Amino acid sequence: MIFIEKKIFLFLLIFFLLFLPPLGQSLGMYYTLHISALIGIYLLLILGLNLILGFVGLLDLGFIAFYACGAYLSALLSIRGWNFCLVLPATIILTVLLRLLLGLPALRLRGDYLAIVTLGFGEIMRLVLNNWDGLTNGPKGLPRVGEAISSPKFFFLTFQSDLSFYYLILFFVILGIIVSRRLDNSRIGRAWIAIREDELAAETCGINVDKVKLFAFCFSAIYAATAGVLYTHWIKFISPESFTFWESVLLVSMVVLGGMGSIPGVILATILVIGVPEFLRGLLGTQLVNYRMLFFGLGLVLMVIFRPQGIVPSKRRELELHPSNE
Amino acid sequence: MFLQVKNLTKHFGGLLALDNLNLTVSQGEIVGLIGPNGAGKTTFFNLLSGVYQPDEGEIIFLHQRIDRILAHRITALGVSRTFQNIRLFAQMTALENVMVGQHCRTRAEVKEALLRTSGFQKEENEIQGKAKELLDFVGLLSKGNELARNLPYGDQRRLEIARALATEPKLLLLDEPTAGMNPVEAKELMSLIKKIREQGVTVLLIEHQMEVVMNISERIIVLNYGEKIAEGKPEEIQQNSLVIDAYLGTE
Ligand SMILES: Nc1ncnc2c1ncn2[C@@H]1O[C@H](COP(=O)(O)OP(=O)(O)O)[C@@H](O)[C@H]1O
Ligand SMILES: [Mg+2]
């Protein structure tokens, strides 16, 4: 019964996701598609951060650095004429390698120290992007005058309009959700959550905690890199100011707000925090929207006091309890 | 020899927590480990399970040195434990706690989890089936879907034992499993420990309730200030004047 209801719900949801934004657009709400696509990019970031922060419990304050890495690498490759189908995997691989280089030393540190190191790494990344003129064109961003980032092409399909980009991003978001969910309910996901709950007990349960942590840390970078690649190819312009420490903090807050480790929770939080103010911009005028961070901050404080487990607290899957059901 | 400990020594700063400990355990025994608070019992378990490394000495388990090996490798070799201050995965269900315990006996990696291969489904079913069996074994099956942190104290202790058994140990280390239990629960636990041994698991048991430890141990080892002061059958230990002094005397 519940199973069927779930199917119907999912069907309706996908129906809305496919048709509502274009409908809004055609009804004269001009930013609907743009905002929906932007939410999609943030969803990828949040799903990735949720793996490492929500599941494994590692406070990563520099996640945005890997989003930046994905964005810049893909811009550099795309400018050199690489096809999107090559740019995406190449960028993911290089970003994950960078993540590995950070993770190897940093994951030896516990709790607050890890937070500080990742924070520092995020700042280093921003400074490098800002100052390595020869490669990144500094604060002026990429591409330079006379260069261009090409639109993604898959054989005969070209992604150019906001609409086609919305669908491309939606595809990756749905893929990201499926991956997160499948990991959650598997031996690997259980090991991640066990580490979050009690590292020592996890180790004595036979889990190679260091290795599993490093893997999760690297795996989450796939999400960040993908988000970066999509952002670059969609907006076709990037500069260091999109990748500030503040963005990392925003991401962490959204995971906390949604509910650590809760996939529906973090999705809802992203839509609330990124989407709602943008949609209300037209209604309320720019003035009020400028106060959104104030509301966000207030909301966060209230949440942590009154509902620390988040909007949609993560719920563990229930199983049939008949002994031996082979 | 099943387990052999030679000259095992551990300092914490200036404190000598374990002083030149020698002992052996044979396969299939239930051995009680007793001693006043701070005697070094838990420290001994921490060394055995790889949580700490000893300063000196050797631990040989099934002809293999395990004193310099990481904790998860020791678990894989067949040593498993519970903790004096219960350490469950609080936000996971009871069933999931036991499923995590099977980590080192199962193989599914990310690829299988993402593709949901038939091998993955089969292993996942086996993990669930075994977890339910173990919960049933410790009498917690009906509470399988409850979060570990919502279970009463006695249930949490038994859940921790089920999780430890899920690693398929040859040697099980129980650190004060009856602490906080009422006499009825403690009695039930004794029969549970006996059942565990009947399945071929060797048990080392730290226990404060003398009634329990005298009843189920075949052999008792007494620690005091990090040193072994006595060893023998329960009847012998009860008569031993050093032991009586350690418990009643100087403190
Ligand atoms: N991690 C540690 N750091 C410092 N001292 C410790 C640590 N673990 C145990 N000790 C000390 O070692 C001694 C033995 O402790 P423990 O093995 O827990 O005793 P028992 O379990 O027999 O009560 C105690 O004095 C305790 O304070
Ligand atoms: Mg102790």
Side-chain angles (χ1 to χ4, degrees):
Chain A
M1 210 35 206
I2 294 169
F3 189 64
I4 294 172
E5 273 174 32
K6 251 190 169 166
K7 280 250 152 120
I8 293 175
F9 175 74
L10 215 62
F11 180 78
L12 283 177
L13 190 71
I14 291 189
F15 183 81
F16 278 125
L17 285 174
L18 284 179
F19 296 112
L20 216 54
L23 190 71
Q25 188 84 348
S26 60
L27 290 178
M29 295 163 73
Y30 293 114
Y31 286 106
T32 314
L33 270 178
H34 184 87
I35 296 164
S36 306
L38 187 69
I39 292 174
I41 300 270
Y42 270 98
L43 279 176
L44 280 174
L45 288 172
I46 284 293
L47 287 166
L49 184 62
N50 184 51
L51 290 186
I52 195 73
L53 173 63
F55 287 173
V56 195
L58 299 176
L59 183 50
D60 182 349
L61 288 178
F63 197 64
I64 212 75
F66 298 91
Y67 176 44
C69 177
Y72 267 88
L73 279 173
S74 65
L76 291 169
L77 295 175
S78 186
I79 286 166
R80 279 159 185 72
W82 285 44
N83 184 295
F84 182 82
C85 297
L86 286 175
V87 173
L88 183 66
T91 305
I92 288 176
I93 290 168
L94 292 172
T95 307
V96 167
L97 279 179
L98 184 72
R99 185 82 161 162
L100 183 68
L101 285 181
L102 172 66
L104 276 172
L107 289 179
R108 292 163 190 274
L109 304 169
R110 301 269 172 264
D112 309 347
Y113 295 101
L114 177 68
I116 290 168
V117 169
T118 51
L119 186 160
F121 187 82
E123 279 304 280
I124 291 172
M125 176 65 88
R126 196 179 57 81
L127 289 171
V128 168
L129 296 178
N130 234 332
N131 292 299
W132 191 352
D133 273 338
L135 190 70
T136 68
N137 201 25
K140 294 195 289 294
L142 285 175
R144 297 181 183 79
V145 184
E147 294 173 343
I149 292 165
S150 54
S151 294
K153 273 198 198 72
F154 297 99
F155 308 103
F156 54 93
L157 273 176
T158 309
F159 291 82
Q160 213 152 15
S161 63
D162 262 358
L163 182 63
S164 58
F165 249 100
Y166 170 71
Y167 287 136
L168 187 64
I169 291 169
L170 187 63
F171 168 76
F172 280 104
V173 170
I174 290 174
L175 193 66
I177 292 172
I178 293 173
V179 167
S180 280
R181 281 184 51 99
R182 291 197 165 182
L183 282 177
D184 190 8
N185 293 316
S186 78
R187 169 175 174 268
I188 302 296
R190 285 191 295 270
W192 290 2
I193 293 166
I195 290 172
R196 177 189 77 198
E197 293 298 305
D198 191 322
E199 220 175 292
L200 177 61
E203 180 85 21
T204 59
C205 278
I207 295 169
N208 186 345
V209 170
D210 289 341
K211 194 176 128 201
V212 171
K213 265 188 184 174
L214 188 63
F215 178 83
F217 195 69
C218 292
F219 194 86
S220 64
I222 298 176
Y223 282 76
T226 306
V229 174
L230 289 172
Y231 182 77
T232 297
H233 284 80
W234 172 41
I235 302 292
K236 300 206 162 54
F237 172 76
I238 49 173
S239 70
E241 66 188 71
S242 308
F243 309 103
T244 56
F245 169 61
W246 168 244
E247 290 283 323
S248 275
V249 172
L250 188 70
L251 294 181
V252 169
S253 316
M254 286 196 280
V255 173
V256 173
L257 193 69
M260 301 262 260
S262 156
I263 296 169
V266 299
I267 291 174
L268 201 63
T270 311
I271 294 172
L272 281 177
V273 173
I274 304 297
V276 170
E278 294 290 340
F279 278 113
L280 292 183
R281 192 186 286 272
L283 288 177
L284 302 176
T286 321
Q287 276 303 315
L288 212 58
V289 171
N290 284 344
Y291 287 109
R292 66 177 175 164
M293 281 310 153
L294 187 70
F295 291 122
F296 176 56
L298 201 67
L300 203 61
V301 170
L302 291 177
M303 282 296 290
V304 171
I305 294 172
F306 293 109
R307 204 178 158 84
Q309 68 276 48
I311 304 176
V312 186
S314 110
K315 208 161 156 281
R316 301 310 305 164
R317 188 175 53 148
E318 298 200 347
L319 296 168
E320 278 294 319
L321 288 180
H322 300 302
S324 63
N325 56 344
E326 272 101 84
Chain B
M1 182 48 64
F2 185 69
L3 175 73
Q4 185 168 26
V5 172
K6 288 191 209 160
N7 308 322
L8 201 64
T9 301
K10 179 72 184 174
H11 297 262
F12 291 111
L15 181 96
L16 190 54
L18 218 53
D19 183 7
N20 205 22
L21 180 69
N22 288 282
L23 61 83
T24 58
V25 175
S26 326
Q27 188 149 20
E29 272 190 301
I30 297 181
V31 177
L33 196 60
I34 64 172
N37 266 326
K41 307 180 296 293
T42 299
T43 301
F44 176 51
F45 273 17
N46 283 334
L47 296 176
L48 270 182
S49 59
V51 173
Y52 295 145
Q53 313 273 291
D55 297 327
E56 280 163 51
E58 292 177 17
I59 303 168
I60 299 156
F61 177 66
L62 295 173
H63 314 288
Q64 188 174 352
R65 288 273 300 262
I66 60 166
D67 46 87
R68 304 286 154 192
I69 295 183
L70 291 171
H72 70 269
R73 293 284 311 137
I74 293 180
T75 308
L77 289 173
V79 180
S80 181
R81 69 172 293 178
T82 64
F83 294 88
Q84 183 174 351
N85 47 339
I86 307 171
R87 304 185 75 132
L88 287 166
F89 307 123
Q91 308 269 26
M92 301 177 94
T93 65
L95 202 60
E96 282 180 313
N97 268 271
V98 185
M99 288 164 85
V100 171
Q102 296 174 59
H103 187 90
C104 63
R105 304 291 173 219
T106 44
R107 289 188 322 272
E109 291 295 334
V110 171
K111 195 179 102 225
E112 291 81 19
L114 293 184
L115 299 177
R116 297 278 141 142
T117 57
S118 60
F120 173 85
Q121 289 297 358
K122 185 161 164 283
E123 187 180 84
E124 196 71 3
N125 286 341
E126 283 165 6
I127 292 172
Q128 278 178 31
K130 181 150 179 236
K132 286 172 199 168
E133 260 171 45
L134 282 168
L135 277 186
D136 200 25
F137 181 68
V138 301
L140 283 177
L141 184 60
S142 62
K143 299 184 177 175
N145 281 328
E146 286 190 37
L147 293 188
R149 64 170 178 163
N150 293 339
L151 294 174
Y153 209 67
D155 288 353
Q156 291 195 5
R157 290 239 177 251
R158 281 181 294 150
L159 177 56
E160 221 192 2
I161 293 175
R163 185 182 71 183
L165 289 174
T167 68
E168 298 175 13
K170 299 185 178 85
L171 172 63
L172 179 64
L173 313 173
L174 299 174
D175 198 343
E176 303 201 17
T178 67
M181 284 187 175
N182 63 40
V184 179
E185 286 177 314
K187 215 175 191 144
E188 284 170 4
L189 195 80
M190 278 195 271
S191 55
L192 185 70
I193 293 173
K194 282 181 184 156
K195 273 204 285 180
I196 291 170
R197 194 266 301 272
E198 278 162 23
Q199 304 194 340
V201 180
T202 307
V203 179
L204 245 174
L205 171 77
I206 297 177
E207 188 47 67
H208 263 151
Q209 298 195 36
M210 282 305 143
E211 213 180 315
V212 173
V213 76
M214 294 295 165
N215 179 306
I216 79 169
S217 311
E218 279 126 19
R219 196 151 61 87
I220 289 176
I221 293 168
V222 190
L223 293 185
N224 194 22
Y225 293 112
E227 279 183 271
K228 184 166 84 177
I229 57 169
E231 178 174 359
K233 292 200 165 67
E235 311 81 84
E236 296 164 7
I237 295 298
Q238 275 166 326
Q239 313 295 323
N240 189 309
S241 60
L242 275 172
V243 177
I244 295 167
D245 276 354
Y247 270 92
L248 303 176
T250 46
E251 270 188 81

